């Protein structure tokens, strides 16, 4: 669920093929709607393998340490970052595994709660201790909250295998493209369609869905010419549809994902940053992402509020 500055008029059409966020559960549905996928349970990281670090845990604010849990807001409709497993209730995904491991380093348990994507950051520090939902770190977001980097991602288009509609990621005007609501891809296509209209061309028909699973389903069902999502999500769609979807265009505009912490909680921010860095240094974070087919996205340093 990346969020970058709006595309300029000069780049809105040519930069649209970018990198590596419900009504139906992504883990329960293939592109055709059949409840056959159990990848979430198979790929999920075992937090019992992560030991608490007493020195890092000592950095926690007392009220968090005494509580014993971290309440985490996440929009669980964006496989494989965060989604609901085949049991219909358990959050899984690489973000869920990441924050669970962070909690384990701190000697805590993560309580991952499903939340609307655009409602998570405003609730940090009140309803949630942390937020993790494939949030791209942007200056706009770091003006509201602290963000600690842990992985890098961008955006990419997907089409039905064979590209039956001859979709061209460098010529978007007049096409029909599906996105999950409130993602960076939603924002980028909104800007791109304005450019189409300003240039006297047909606008892009941007079809928005609450769930990424619905986007993928409607792409395979022939209702869309293309889908647009974070690259791990597009790659996951390829895998989960057994080849009914394929990627198209280049992966560009990589930017870091960040765990969200309140700016008013310096102790928790420092503790989470130290925990993420430990998971990077000991290879745990890479192991987590490898389980979801994305081991090359882990950052070298858990930075606090890196600039765009």
């Amino acid at each position: 669920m990346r969020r970058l500055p709006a595309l300029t008029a000069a780049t809105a059409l040519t930069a649209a093929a970018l990198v590596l966020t419900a009504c139906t559960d992504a883990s329960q549905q293939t592109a055709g709607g059949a409840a056959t996928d159990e990848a979430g349970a198979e790929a999920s990281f075992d937090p019992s393998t992560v030991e608490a670090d007493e020195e890092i845990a000592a950095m926690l604010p007392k009220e968090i340490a005494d509580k014993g849990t971290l309440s985490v807001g996440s929009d669980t409709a964006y496989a494989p970052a965060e989604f609901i497993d085949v049991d219909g209730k358990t959050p899984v995904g690489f973000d869920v595994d990441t924050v669970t491991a962070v909690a384990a380093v701190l000697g805590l348990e993560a309580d991952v709660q499903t939340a609307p994507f655009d409602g998570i950051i405003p609730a940090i520090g009140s309803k949630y201790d942390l937020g993790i939902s494939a949030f791209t770190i942007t200056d706009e977001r770091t003006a509201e909250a602290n963000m600690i980097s842990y992985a890098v991602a961008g955006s990419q288009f997907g089409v039905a295998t064979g590209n039956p509609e001859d979709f061209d990621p460098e010529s978007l005007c007049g096409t029909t493209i599906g996105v999950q609501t409130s993602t960076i891809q939603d924002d980028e296509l909104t800007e791109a369609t304005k450019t189409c209209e300003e240039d006297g061309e047909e606008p892009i028909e941007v079809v928005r869905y609450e769930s990424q699973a619905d986007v993928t389903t409607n792409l395979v069902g022939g209702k869309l010419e293309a889908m647009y999502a974070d690259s791990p999500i597009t790659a996951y769609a390829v895998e989960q549809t057994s080849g009914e979807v394929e990627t198209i265009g280049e992966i560009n505009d990589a930017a870091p994902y960040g765990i969200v912490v309140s700016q008013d909680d310096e102790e928790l921010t420092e503790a989470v940053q130290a925990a993420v860095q430990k998971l990077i240094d000991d290879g745990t974070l890479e192991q987590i992402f490898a389980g979801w087919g994305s081991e090359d996205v882990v950052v070298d340093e858990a930075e606090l509020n890196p600039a765009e």
Side-chain angles (χ1 to χ4, degrees):
M1 296 182 180
R2 303 174 58 244
R3 189 169 298 279
L4 298 174
L7 295 179
T8 65
T11 61
L13 301 181
T14 58
L18 311 174
V19 185
L20 196 252
T21 245
C23 297
T24 55
D25 292 331
S27 62
Q28 295 176 307
Q29 176 177 300
T30 66
T36 59
D37 177 33
E38 297 186 5
E42 295 172 0
S44 187
F45 182 73
D46 181 2
S48 69
T49 62
V50 179
E51 296 183 359
D53 186 301
E54 293 184 3
E55 183 176 351
I56 298 176
M59 301 168 67
L60 285 169
K62 185 177 186 301
E63 60 270 22
I64 296 291
D66 290 347
K67 185 174 65 168
T69 60
L70 285 172
S71 57
V72 183
S74 185
D75 181 1
T76 54
Y78 207 56
E82 46 268 321
F83 59 106
I84 299 300
D85 206 354
V86 291
D87 63 2
K89 61 182 181 180
T90 303
V92 294
F94 59 69
D95 276 349
V96 176
D97 289 345
T98 295
V99 78
T100 300
V102 167
V105 171
L106 297 171
L108 306 172
E109 293 186 1
D111 176 19
V112 180
Q113 303 172 25
T114 296
F117 180 69
D118 56 4
I120 295 171
I121 291 179
I124 296 299
S126 54
K127 185 174 183 179
Y128 308 116
D129 299 316
L130 305 179
I132 190 166
S133 203
F135 284 113
T136 293
I137 299 176
T138 66
D139 293 342
E140 179 184 20
R141 286 180 174 152
T142 56
E144 298 182 53
N146 284 333
M147 301 190 75
I148 298 159
S149 63
Y150 61 99
V152 174
S155 306
Q156 190 166 37
F157 285 103
V159 296
T161 300
N163 194 13
E165 300 295 329
D166 293 323
F167 175 78
D168 181 355
E170 296 188 359
S171 182
L172 302 183
C173 298
T175 61
T176 302
I177 305 172
V179 294
Q180 185 175 3
T181 300
S182 297
T183 59
I184 178 57
Q185 292 82 18
D186 186 352
D187 289 350
E188 289 181 352
L189 291 178
T190 297
E191 292 300 315
T193 199
K194 290 179 183 177
T195 302
C196 292
E197 292 173 324
E198 290 169 359
D199 292 345
E201 299 189 57
E202 289 293 318
I204 303 165
E205 182 180 355
V206 183
V207 185
R208 298 171 176 87
Y209 299 90
E210 292 299 317
S211 165
Q212 178 59 41
D214 291 339
V215 179
T216 305
T217 297
N218 283 286
L219 173 64
V220 174
K223 295 182 179 180
L224 305 169
E225 293 179 47
M227 59 173 271
Y228 194 33
D230 288 5
S231 61
I233 279 70
T234 302
Y236 189 76
V238 172
E239 177 184 346
Q240 296 304 301
T241 60
S242 300
E244 291 186 85
V245 172
E246 65 184 26
T247 61
I248 189 169
E250 297 297 323
I251 293 177
N252 305 304
D253 292 340
Y257 282 160
I259 297 174
V260 186
V261 192
S262 172
Q263 291 178 336
D264 296 329
D265 201 332
E266 183 177 351
E267 289 179 310
L268 182 57
T269 297
E270 292 179 352
V272 171
Q273 184 178 11
V276 174
Q277 189 62 56
K278 177 180 175 62
L279 295 170
I280 293 169
D281 292 342
D282 67 15
T284 299
L285 200 56
E286 184 175 0
Q287 181 185 350
I288 287 171
F289 276 84
W292 298 96
S294 301
E295 65 270 21
D296 295 332
V297 305
V298 176
V299 299
D300 294 328
E301 182 181 356
E303 294 184 84
L304 174 62
N305 300 332
E308 290 184 49

